Structure formats: C-alpha cells, structure tokens
Amino acid sequence: MRSIITILLVFVAYNFSFGQDLVYRPKNPAFGGDTFNYQWLLSSAEAQNTFTEDSQGRDQRSDLERFTENLNSQLLNQISRTLFNEQFGEDGLTEGTFNFGTLFVEIFPSGEGLVINILDTSTGDQSQVIIPN
C-alpha cells in the first residue's frame, strides 16, 4: 500500500510540475536591452565611480601664465622657422641627410611621396613623415 501511495504522489507531482525555457534578456540598451534602462545604468555607474576630477586643470592658470606660455610658443616657432630657412633655404625641403644637434634627418623621394626619416641619436627614437605626391 505504501509503495502505491508513493507512486501516486510521484505521478501527481510530475503532472503539476512545469518547466519553462530560459530566455536571456539583456539589460544594457547598447546590447538590445530596453531603452528605459539607460538612465538607471548611467546613475548606477556614476554612483560606483571612485575617480575624482583633477582640480589643477589647465583652466586654473592665470592670464599671465597663459600669456607667458603663448609668448614662449611663438618664440620657439619663430626660431624653428629661422633654422629651417637657414638649412633648406627658401626653396623648401631638398634631398639629403642633415644633422640638428642629436637629430639625424634623412630626406628622399619614394613612390609614396617625399619621405622624411628623423632619428634621435641620443635616445634611439625614430619617426617617419611621408608627404604624399
């Protein structure tokens, strides 16, 4: 009798148990989620953000500091333009190799255009500029 009741209970439990499909629904609107989740995700991310903005930014400079920096930039620009004209003349860049202190500059034409290789002999850093035809 006990085994019959156990078997009946198993069948009754089996008939009332339901299963469902597992369906993934993304939360993030960037990956197909509901667009109304955007504000919630943004506020959640801002609440977890531990980074603070640096108060020593460029906007904190005085007018005198900005003027000094601008003047220095213009002076360096004028000096470099003068050195460029002395080295290459008014005609501009010519083929060859040139030394500017620790900088070794090589200029040559190629199929891609005018190639300028720059090598800093003190550090070994290299740079290449290609001016297209």
Coordinates of all heavy atoms in Angstrom, one line a residue, residues 49-133:
N49 N 31.5 55.2 -9.4 CA 32.7 55.8 -9.9 C 33.5 56.4 -8.7 O 33.0 57.2 -8.0 CB 32.4 56.9 -10.9 CG 33.6 57.5 -11.5 OD1 34.7 57.1 -11.3 ND2 33.4 58.6 -12.3
T50 N 34.7 55.9 -8.5 CA 35.6 56.4 -7.4 C 36.6 57.5 -7.9 O 37.3 58.0 -7.0 CB 36.4 55.3 -6.8 OG1 37.2 54.6 -7.8 CG2 35.4 54.2 -6.2
F51 N 36.6 57.8 -9.2 CA 37.6 58.8 -9.7 C 37.0 60.2 -9.4 O 35.9 60.4 -9.6 CB 37.8 58.5 -11.2 CG 38.5 57.3 -11.5 CD1 37.8 56.2 -12.1 CD2 39.8 57.1 -11.2 CE1 38.4 55.0 -12.3 CE2 40.5 55.9 -11.5 CZ 39.7 54.8 -12.0
T52 N 37.9 61.1 -9.1 CA 37.6 62.4 -8.9 C 38.3 63.3 -10.0 O 39.4 63.0 -10.4 CB 37.9 63.0 -7.5 OG1 39.4 62.8 -7.3 CG2 37.2 62.2 -6.4
E53 N 37.6 64.4 -10.3 CA 38.2 65.2 -11.4 C 39.3 66.1 -10.8 O 39.2 66.6 -9.6 CB 37.1 66.2 -11.9 CG 37.5 66.9 -13.1 CD 36.4 67.7 -13.7 OE1 35.2 67.2 -13.7 OE2 36.6 68.8 -14.3
D54 N 40.4 66.2 -11.5 CA 41.6 66.9 -11.0 C 41.2 68.4 -11.0 O 40.9 69.0 -12.1 CB 42.8 66.6 -12.0 CG 44.0 67.2 -11.4 OD1 44.1 67.6 -10.3 OD2 45.0 67.3 -12.2
S55 N 41.4 69.1 -9.9 CA 41.1 70.5 -9.8 C 42.2 71.4 -10.3 O 42.1 72.6 -10.4 CB 40.7 70.9 -8.4 OG 41.8 70.6 -7.5
Q56 N 43.4 70.8 -10.6 CA 44.5 71.5 -11.0 C 44.6 71.5 -12.6 O 45.7 71.4 -13.1 CB 45.8 70.9 -10.5 CG 45.9 70.9 -9.0 CD 46.1 72.3 -8.4 OE1 46.6 73.2 -9.1 NE2 45.6 72.6 -7.2
G57 N 43.5 71.6 -13.2 CA 43.4 71.6 -14.7 C 44.0 72.8 -15.4 O 44.5 73.8 -14.7
R58 N 44.0 72.8 -16.7 CA 44.6 73.9 -17.4 C 43.8 75.2 -17.3 O 44.3 76.3 -17.5 CB 44.7 73.6 -18.9 CG 45.7 72.5 -19.2 CD 45.7 72.1 -20.7 NE 46.1 73.3 -21.5 CZ 47.3 73.5 -21.9 NH1 48.3 72.6 -21.6 NH2 47.6 74.5 -22.7
D59 N 42.5 75.1 -16.9 CA 41.7 76.3 -16.8 C 42.0 77.1 -15.5 O 41.5 78.2 -15.3 CB 40.2 75.8 -16.7 CG 39.8 75.2 -18.0 OD1 40.3 75.5 -19.1 OD2 38.8 74.4 -18.0
Q60 N 42.8 76.5 -14.6 CA 43.1 77.2 -13.4 C 44.3 78.1 -13.5 O 44.7 78.8 -12.6 CB 43.5 76.1 -12.3 CG 42.4 75.1 -12.0 CD 41.2 75.8 -11.4 OE1 41.3 76.8 -10.7 NE2 40.0 75.3 -11.8
R61 N 44.9 78.2 -14.8 CA 46.0 79.1 -15.0 C 45.5 80.6 -15.0 O 44.4 80.9 -15.5 CB 46.7 78.8 -16.3 CG 47.3 77.4 -16.3 CD 48.0 77.1 -17.6 NE 47.0 77.2 -18.6 CZ 47.2 77.4 -19.9 NH1 48.5 77.6 -20.3 NH2 46.3 77.5 -20.8
S62 N 46.4 81.4 -14.6 CA 46.1 82.9 -14.6 C 46.4 83.4 -16.0 O 47.0 82.8 -16.9 CB 47.0 83.6 -13.6 OG 48.3 83.6 -14.0
D63 N 45.9 84.6 -16.3 CA 46.1 85.2 -17.6 C 47.6 85.4 -17.9 O 48.0 85.3 -19.0 CB 45.4 86.6 -17.6 CG 43.9 86.5 -17.7 OD1 43.4 85.4 -18.1 OD2 43.2 87.4 -17.3
L64 N 48.4 85.8 -16.8 CA 49.8 85.9 -17.0 C 50.5 84.6 -17.4 O 51.3 84.6 -18.3 CB 50.4 86.5 -15.7 CG 51.9 86.7 -15.8 CD1 52.2 87.8 -16.8 CD2 52.4 87.2 -14.4
E65 N 50.1 83.5 -16.8 CA 50.7 82.2 -17.2 C 50.3 81.8 -18.6 O 51.1 81.3 -19.4 CB 50.2 81.1 -16.2 CG 50.7 81.2 -14.8 CD 50.1 80.3 -13.9 OE1 48.9 79.9 -14.0 OE2 50.8 79.9 -12.9
R66 N 49.1 82.1 -19.0 CA 48.7 81.8 -20.4 C 49.4 82.7 -21.4 O 49.8 82.2 -22.5 CB 47.1 82.0 -20.6 CG 46.4 80.8 -20.0 CD 44.9 80.9 -20.4 NE 44.3 82.1 -19.8 CZ 43.4 82.1 -18.9 NH1 42.9 80.9 -18.5 NH2 42.9 83.2 -18.4
F67 N 49.6 83.9 -21.1 CA 50.3 84.9 -21.9 C 51.8 84.4 -22.1 O 52.3 84.4 -23.2 CB 50.2 86.3 -21.4 CG 51.0 87.3 -22.2 CD1 50.6 87.7 -23.4 CD2 52.3 87.7 -21.7 CE1 51.3 88.6 -24.2 CE2 53.0 88.6 -22.5 CZ 52.5 89.1 -23.7
T68 N 52.4 84.0 -21.0 CA 53.8 83.6 -21.0 C 54.0 82.3 -21.8 O 54.9 82.2 -22.7 CB 54.3 83.3 -19.5 OG1 54.1 84.5 -18.8 CG2 55.7 82.9 -19.5
E69 N 53.0 81.4 -21.7 CA 53.1 80.2 -22.5 C 52.9 80.5 -24.0 O 53.6 79.9 -24.8 CB 52.0 79.2 -22.0 CG 52.1 77.8 -22.7 CD 51.0 76.9 -22.2 OE1 50.9 76.8 -21.0 OE2 50.4 76.3 -23.0
N70 N 52.0 81.3 -24.3 CA 51.7 81.7 -25.7 C 53.0 82.4 -26.3 O 53.4 82.2 -27.4 CB 50.5 82.6 -25.8 CG 50.1 82.9 -27.2 OD1 50.6 82.3 -28.1 ND2 49.1 83.8 -27.3
L71 N 53.6 83.3 -25.5 CA 54.8 84.0 -26.0 C 55.9 83.0 -26.2 O 56.6 83.1 -27.2 CB 55.2 85.1 -25.0 CG 56.4 86.0 -25.3 CD1 56.0 86.8 -26.6 CD2 56.7 86.9 -24.2
N72 N 56.2 82.1 -25.3 CA 57.2 81.1 -25.5 C 56.9 80.2 -26.7 O 57.9 79.9 -27.5 CB 57.3 80.2 -24.2 CG 57.9 80.8 -23.1 OD1 58.7 81.7 -23.2 ND2 57.6 80.3 -21.9
S73 N 55.7 79.9 -27.0 CA 55.4 79.1 -28.1 C 55.7 79.9 -29.4 O 56.2 79.3 -30.4 CB 53.9 78.7 -28.1 OG 53.5 78.0 -29.2
Q74 N 55.3 81.1 -29.4 CA 55.6 81.9 -30.6 C 57.1 82.1 -30.9 O 57.5 82.1 -32.0 CB 54.9 83.3 -30.5 CG 53.4 83.2 -30.7 CD 52.7 84.6 -30.6 OE1 53.4 85.6 -30.7 NE2 51.4 84.6 -30.3
L75 N 57.9 82.3 -29.8 CA 59.3 82.5 -29.9 C 59.9 81.2 -30.5 O 60.8 81.2 -31.4 CB 59.9 82.9 -28.6 CG 59.7 84.3 -28.2 CD1 60.2 84.5 -26.7 CD2 60.3 85.3 -29.1
L76 N 59.6 80.0 -29.9 CA 60.1 78.8 -30.4 C 59.7 78.5 -31.8 O 60.5 78.0 -32.6 CB 59.6 77.6 -29.5 CG 60.2 77.6 -28.1 CD1 59.5 76.5 -27.2 CD2 61.7 77.4 -28.1
N77 N 58.5 78.9 -32.2 CA 58.1 78.7 -33.6 C 58.9 79.6 -34.5 O 59.3 79.1 -35.6 CB 56.6 79.1 -33.7 CG 56.0 78.8 -35.1 OD1 56.6 78.1 -35.8 ND2 54.9 79.4 -35.3
Q78 N 59.2 80.8 -34.1 CA 60.0 81.7 -35.0 C 61.4 81.2 -35.1 O 62.0 81.2 -36.2 CB 60.0 83.1 -34.4 CG 60.8 84.2 -35.2 CD 60.1 84.4 -36.5 OE1 58.9 84.4 -36.6 NE2 60.9 84.7 -37.5
I79 N 62.0 80.7 -34.0 CA 63.4 80.1 -34.0 C 63.4 78.9 -35.0 O 64.3 78.8 -35.8 CB 63.8 79.8 -32.6 CG1 64.1 81.1 -31.8 CG2 65.1 79.0 -32.7 CD1 64.3 80.8 -30.3
S80 N 62.4 78.0 -34.9 CA 62.5 76.8 -35.7 C 62.3 77.2 -37.2 O 62.9 76.6 -38.1 CB 61.4 75.8 -35.3 OG 60.1 76.3 -35.5
R81 N 61.4 78.2 -37.5 CA 61.2 78.7 -38.8 C 62.5 79.3 -39.4 O 62.9 79.0 -40.5 CB 60.1 79.7 -38.9 CG 59.6 79.9 -40.3 CD 58.4 80.8 -40.4 NE 57.4 80.5 -39.3 CZ 56.9 81.5 -38.5 NH1 57.3 82.8 -38.7 NH2 56.1 81.2 -37.5
T82 N 63.3 80.0 -38.6 CA 64.5 80.6 -39.0 C 65.6 79.5 -39.3 O 66.3 79.5 -40.3 CB 65.1 81.6 -37.9 OG1 64.1 82.6 -37.7 CG2 66.3 82.2 -38.4
L83 N 65.7 78.5 -38.4 CA 66.6 77.4 -38.6 C 66.2 76.6 -39.9 O 67.1 76.2 -40.6 CB 66.6 76.5 -37.4 CG 67.3 76.9 -36.1 CD1 67.0 76.0 -35.0 CD2 68.8 77.1 -36.4
F84 N 65.0 76.4 -40.1 CA 64.5 75.7 -41.3 C 64.9 76.4 -42.6 O 65.4 75.9 -43.5 CB 63.0 75.5 -41.2 CG 62.4 74.7 -42.4 CD1 62.4 73.3 -42.3 CD2 61.9 75.3 -43.5 CE1 61.9 72.6 -43.4 CE2 61.4 74.6 -44.5 CZ 61.4 73.2 -44.5
N85 N 64.7 77.8 -42.6 CA 65.1 78.6 -43.7 C 66.6 78.6 -43.9 O 67.1 78.6 -45.1 CB 64.5 80.0 -43.6 CG 63.0 80.0 -43.9 OD1 62.5 79.2 -44.5 ND2 62.4 81.1 -43.4
E86 N 67.4 78.6 -42.9 CA 68.8 78.6 -43.0 C 69.3 77.3 -43.5 O 70.3 77.3 -44.3 CB 69.5 78.9 -41.6 CG 69.4 80.3 -41.2 CD 70.0 80.5 -39.8 OE1 70.6 79.6 -39.2 OE2 69.9 81.6 -39.3
Q87 N 68.7 76.2 -43.1 CA 69.2 74.9 -43.5 C 68.7 74.5 -44.9 O 69.5 74.0 -45.7 CB 68.7 73.8 -42.5 CG 69.2 72.4 -42.8 CD 70.7 72.3 -42.4 OE1 71.2 73.0 -41.5 NE2 71.4 71.5 -43.2
F88 N 67.5 74.8 -45.2 CA 66.9 74.4 -46.5 C 66.7 75.5 -47.5 O 66.4 75.2 -48.7 CB 65.6 73.7 -46.3 CG 65.7 72.5 -45.4 CD1 65.2 72.4 -44.1 CD2 66.3 71.3 -45.9 CE1 65.3 71.3 -43.3 CE2 66.4 70.2 -45.1 CZ 65.9 70.2 -43.8
G89 N 66.8 76.7 -47.1 CA 66.6 77.9 -48.0 C 65.2 78.1 -48.2 O 64.3 77.5 -47.7
E90 N 64.9 79.1 -49.1 CA 63.5 79.4 -49.4 C 62.8 78.4 -50.3 O 61.6 78.4 -50.4 CB 63.5 80.8 -50.1 CG 64.0 82.0 -49.2 CD 63.1 82.2 -48.0 OE1 61.8 82.0 -48.1 OE2 63.6 82.5 -47.0
D91 N 63.6 77.5 -50.9 CA 63.0 76.5 -51.8 C 62.3 75.4 -51.1 O 61.6 74.6 -51.6 CB 64.1 75.9 -52.7 CG 64.7 77.0 -53.7 OD1 64.0 78.0 -54.0 OD2 65.9 76.8 -54.1
G92 N 62.6 75.2 -49.8 CA 62.0 74.2 -49.0 C 62.9 73.0 -48.9 O 64.1 73.1 -48.9
L93 N 62.3 71.8 -48.7 CA 63.0 70.6 -48.5 C 63.7 70.1 -49.7 O 63.2 70.1 -50.8 CB 62.0 69.5 -48.0 CG 61.3 69.8 -46.7 CD1 60.3 68.7 -46.4 CD2 62.2 69.9 -45.5
T94 N 64.9 69.7 -49.5 CA 65.7 69.1 -50.6 C 66.2 67.7 -50.1 O 66.3 67.4 -48.9 CB 66.9 70.0 -50.9 OG1 67.7 70.2 -49.8 CG2 66.5 71.3 -51.5
E95 N 66.6 66.9 -51.1 CA 67.1 65.5 -50.7 C 68.4 65.6 -50.0 O 69.2 66.5 -50.3 CB 67.3 64.7 -52.0 CG 66.0 64.4 -52.7 CD 66.3 63.5 -53.9 OE1 67.1 62.6 -53.9 OE2 65.7 63.8 -55.0
G96 N 68.6 64.7 -49.1 CA 69.9 64.6 -48.4 C 69.8 64.2 -47.0 O 68.7 63.8 -46.5
T97 N 70.9 64.3 -46.3 CA 70.9 64.0 -44.9 C 71.4 65.2 -44.1 O 72.3 65.9 -44.6 CB 71.9 62.8 -44.5 OG1 73.2 63.1 -45.0 CG2 71.3 61.5 -45.2
F98 N 70.8 65.5 -43.0 CA 71.1 66.7 -42.2 C 71.2 66.3 -40.7 O 70.6 65.4 -40.3 CB 70.0 67.7 -42.4 CG 69.7 68.0 -43.9 CD1 68.7 67.4 -44.5 CD2 70.5 69.0 -44.5 CE1 68.5 67.6 -45.9 CE2 70.2 69.3 -45.9 CZ 69.2 68.6 -46.5
N99 N 72.0 67.1 -40.0 CA 72.2 66.9 -38.6 C 71.8 68.2 -37.9 O 72.2 69.3 -38.2 CB 73.6 66.6 -38.2 CG 74.0 65.2 -38.5 OD1 73.2 64.3 -38.4 ND2 75.2 65.0 -39.0
F100 N 70.9 68.1 -36.9 CA 70.5 69.2 -36.0 C 70.8 68.7 -34.6 O 69.9 68.1 -33.9 CB 69.0 69.5 -36.1 CG 68.6 69.9 -37.5 CD1 67.9 69.0 -38.4 CD2 68.8 71.2 -37.9 CE1 67.5 69.4 -39.6 CE2 68.4 71.6 -39.2 CZ 67.7 70.7 -40.0
G101 N 72.0 69.0 -34.1 CA 72.3 68.5 -32.7 C 72.3 67.0 -32.7 O 73.1 66.4 -33.4
T102 N 71.4 66.4 -31.9 CA 71.4 65.0 -31.8 C 70.4 64.4 -32.8 O 70.2 63.2 -32.8 CB 71.0 64.5 -30.4 OG1 69.7 65.1 -30.1 CG2 72.0 65.0 -29.3
L103 N 69.7 65.2 -33.6 CA 68.8 64.7 -34.6 C 69.4 64.5 -35.9 O 70.2 65.3 -36.4 CB 67.6 65.7 -34.7 CG 66.7 65.9 -33.5 CD1 65.6 66.9 -33.9 CD2 66.0 64.6 -33.1
F104 N 69.2 63.3 -36.5 CA 69.7 63.0 -37.8 C 68.5 62.9 -38.7 O 67.6 62.1 -38.5 CB 70.5 61.6 -37.7 CG 71.0 61.2 -39.1 CD1 72.1 61.8 -39.7 CD2 70.3 60.2 -39.8 CE1 72.5 61.3 -40.9 CE2 70.8 59.7 -41.0 CZ 71.9 60.3 -41.6
V105 N 68.4 63.7 -39.8 CA 67.3 63.8 -40.6 C 67.7 63.4 -42.0 O 68.7 63.9 -42.6 CB 66.7 65.3 -40.7 CG1 65.5 65.3 -41.6 CG2 66.3 65.7 -39.3
E106 N 66.9 62.4 -42.6 CA 67.2 61.9 -43.9 C 66.0 62.2 -44.8 O 64.8 61.8 -44.4 CB 67.5 60.4 -43.9 CG 67.7 59.8 -45.2 CD 68.0 58.3 -45.2 OE1 67.6 57.7 -44.1 OE2 68.5 57.8 -46.1
I107 N 66.1 62.9 -45.9 CA 65.0 63.2 -46.8 C 65.3 62.6 -48.2 O 66.4 62.8 -48.8 CB 64.9 64.7 -47.0 CG1 64.7 65.4 -45.6 CG2 63.8 65.1 -47.9 CD1 64.7 66.9 -45.6
F108 N 64.3 61.8 -48.7 CA 64.4 61.2 -50.0 C 63.0 61.0 -50.6 O 62.1 60.8 -49.9 CB 65.2 59.9 -49.9 CG 64.6 58.9 -49.1 CD1 63.7 57.9 -49.6 CD2 64.8 58.8 -47.7 CE1 63.1 57.0 -48.8 CE2 64.2 57.9 -46.9 CZ 63.4 56.9 -47.4
P109 N 63.0 61.0 -52.0 CA 61.7 60.7 -52.6 C 61.4 59.2 -52.7 O 62.4 58.4 -52.8 CB 61.8 61.4 -54.0 CG 63.3 61.3 -54.3 CD 64.0 61.5 -52.9
S110 N 60.2 58.9 -52.7 CA 59.8 57.4 -52.9 C 58.5 57.4 -53.7 O 58.0 58.4 -54.1 CB 59.6 56.8 -51.6 OG 58.4 57.2 -51.0
G111 N 58.0 56.2 -53.9 CA 56.8 56.0 -54.7 C 55.6 56.6 -54.0 O 54.6 57.0 -54.6
E112 N 55.7 56.6 -52.6 CA 54.6 57.2 -51.8 C 54.6 58.7 -51.7 O 53.6 59.3 -51.4 CB 54.6 56.6 -50.4 CG 54.4 55.1 -50.4 CD 54.6 54.5 -49.0 OE1 55.1 55.3 -48.1 OE2 54.3 53.3 -48.8
G113 N 55.7 59.3 -52.0 CA 55.9 60.7 -51.8 C 57.3 61.0 -51.2 O 58.2 60.2 -51.3
L114 N 57.4 62.2 -50.7 CA 58.6 62.7 -50.0 C 58.7 62.1 -48.6 O 57.8 62.3 -47.8 CB 58.7 64.2 -50.0 CG 60.1 64.8 -49.6 CD1 61.1 64.4 -50.6 CD2 60.0 66.3 -49.5
V115 N 59.7 61.3 -48.4 CA 59.9 60.6 -47.1 C 60.9 61.4 -46.2 O 62.0 61.7 -46.7 CB 60.3 59.1 -47.3 CG1 60.5 58.5 -45.9 CG2 59.3 58.4 -48.1
I116 N 60.6 61.6 -45.0 CA 61.5 62.3 -44.0 C 61.7 61.3 -42.8 O 60.7 61.1 -42.1 CB 60.9 63.6 -43.6 CG1 60.6 64.5 -44.7 CG2 61.9 64.3 -42.6 CD1 59.9 65.8 -44.4
N117 N 62.8 60.8 -42.7 CA 63.2 59.9 -41.5 C 63.9 60.8 -40.5 O 64.9 61.5 -40.8 CB 64.1 58.8 -41.9 CG 63.3 57.7 -42.7 OD1 62.1 57.5 -42.5 ND2 64.0 57.1 -43.7
I118 N 63.5 60.7 -39.2 CA 64.1 61.5 -38.2 C 64.6 60.5 -37.1 O 63.8 59.7 -36.6 CB 63.1 62.5 -37.6 CG1 62.6 63.4 -38.7 CG2 63.8 63.3 -36.5 CD1 61.4 64.2 -38.2
L119 N 65.9 60.6 -36.7 CA 66.5 59.7 -35.7 C 67.1 60.6 -34.7 O 67.9 61.4 -34.9 CB 67.5 58.8 -36.4 CG 68.4 58.0 -35.4 CD1 67.5 56.9 -34.7 CD2 69.5 57.3 -36.1
D120 N 66.7 60.3 -33.4 CA 67.4 61.0 -32.3 C 68.5 60.1 -31.8 O 68.3 59.0 -31.3 CB 66.4 61.2 -31.1 CG 66.9 62.0 -30.0 OD1 68.2 62.3 -30.0 OD2 66.2 62.4 -29.1
T121 N 69.7 60.5 -32.1 CA 70.9 59.6 -31.8 C 71.2 59.5 -30.3 O 71.8 58.5 -30.0 CB 72.2 60.2 -32.5 OG1 72.4 61.5 -32.1 CG2 72.0 60.1 -34.0
S122 N 70.7 60.3 -29.5 CA 70.9 60.2 -28.1 C 70.0 59.1 -27.4 O 70.4 58.5 -26.5 CB 70.7 61.5 -27.4 OG 69.4 62.0 -27.5
T123 N 68.8 59.0 -27.9 CA 67.8 58.0 -27.3 C 67.5 56.9 -28.2 O 67.0 55.9 -27.8 CB 66.5 58.8 -27.0 OG1 65.9 59.2 -28.2 CG2 66.7 59.9 -26.0
G124 N 67.7 57.0 -29.5 CA 67.4 56.0 -30.5 C 66.0 56.0 -31.0 O 65.5 55.2 -31.7
D125 N 65.2 57.0 -30.6 CA 63.8 57.2 -31.0 C 63.8 57.6 -32.5 O 64.7 58.4 -33.0 CB 63.1 58.3 -30.2 CG 62.9 57.9 -28.8 OD1 62.9 56.7 -28.5 OD2 62.7 58.8 -28.0
Q126 N 62.9 57.0 -33.3 CA 62.7 57.3 -34.7 C 61.4 57.7 -35.0 O 60.4 57.4 -34.4 CB 63.0 56.0 -35.5 CG 64.4 55.5 -35.4 CD 64.6 54.3 -36.3 OE1 63.8 53.9 -37.0 NE2 65.8 53.6 -36.1
S127 N 61.3 58.5 -36.1 CA 60.0 59.0 -36.6 C 60.1 59.1 -38.1 O 61.1 59.4 -38.6 CB 59.6 60.3 -36.0 OG 58.4 60.8 -36.5
Q128 N 59.0 58.9 -38.8 CA 59.0 58.9 -40.2 C 57.7 59.8 -40.7 O 56.6 59.5 -40.2 CB 58.9 57.6 -40.9 CG 59.0 57.6 -42.4 CD 59.0 56.2 -43.0 OE1 58.1 55.4 -42.8 NE2 60.0 55.9 -43.8
V129 N 58.0 60.7 -41.5 CA 56.9 61.6 -42.1 C 56.9 61.4 -43.6 O 58.0 61.4 -44.2 CB 57.2 63.1 -41.7 CG1 56.1 63.9 -42.3 CG2 57.3 63.3 -40.2
I130 N 55.7 61.1 -44.1 CA 55.6 60.9 -45.6 C 54.7 62.0 -46.1 O 53.5 62.1 -45.7 CB 55.0 59.5 -45.9 CG1 56.0 58.4 -45.4 CG2 54.8 59.4 -47.4 CD1 55.5 57.0 -45.6
I131 N 55.2 62.8 -47.0 CA 54.4 63.9 -47.6 C 54.0 63.3 -49.0 O 54.8 63.1 -49.9 CB 55.2 65.2 -47.8 CG1 55.7 65.6 -46.5 CG2 54.4 66.2 -48.5 CD1 56.7 66.8 -46.5
P132 N 52.7 63.0 -49.2 CA 52.2 62.4 -50.4 C 52.4 63.3 -51.6 O 52.5 64.5 -51.5 CB 50.7 62.2 -50.2 CG 50.5 62.4 -48.7 CD 51.6 63.3 -48.2
N133 N 52.6 62.6 -52.8 CA 52.8 63.4 -54.1 C 51.5 64.2 -54.4 O 50.4 63.9 -54.2 CB 53.1 62.4 -55.2 CG 54.4 61.8 -55.0 OD1 55.3 62.3 -54.4 ND2 54.6 60.6 -55.6

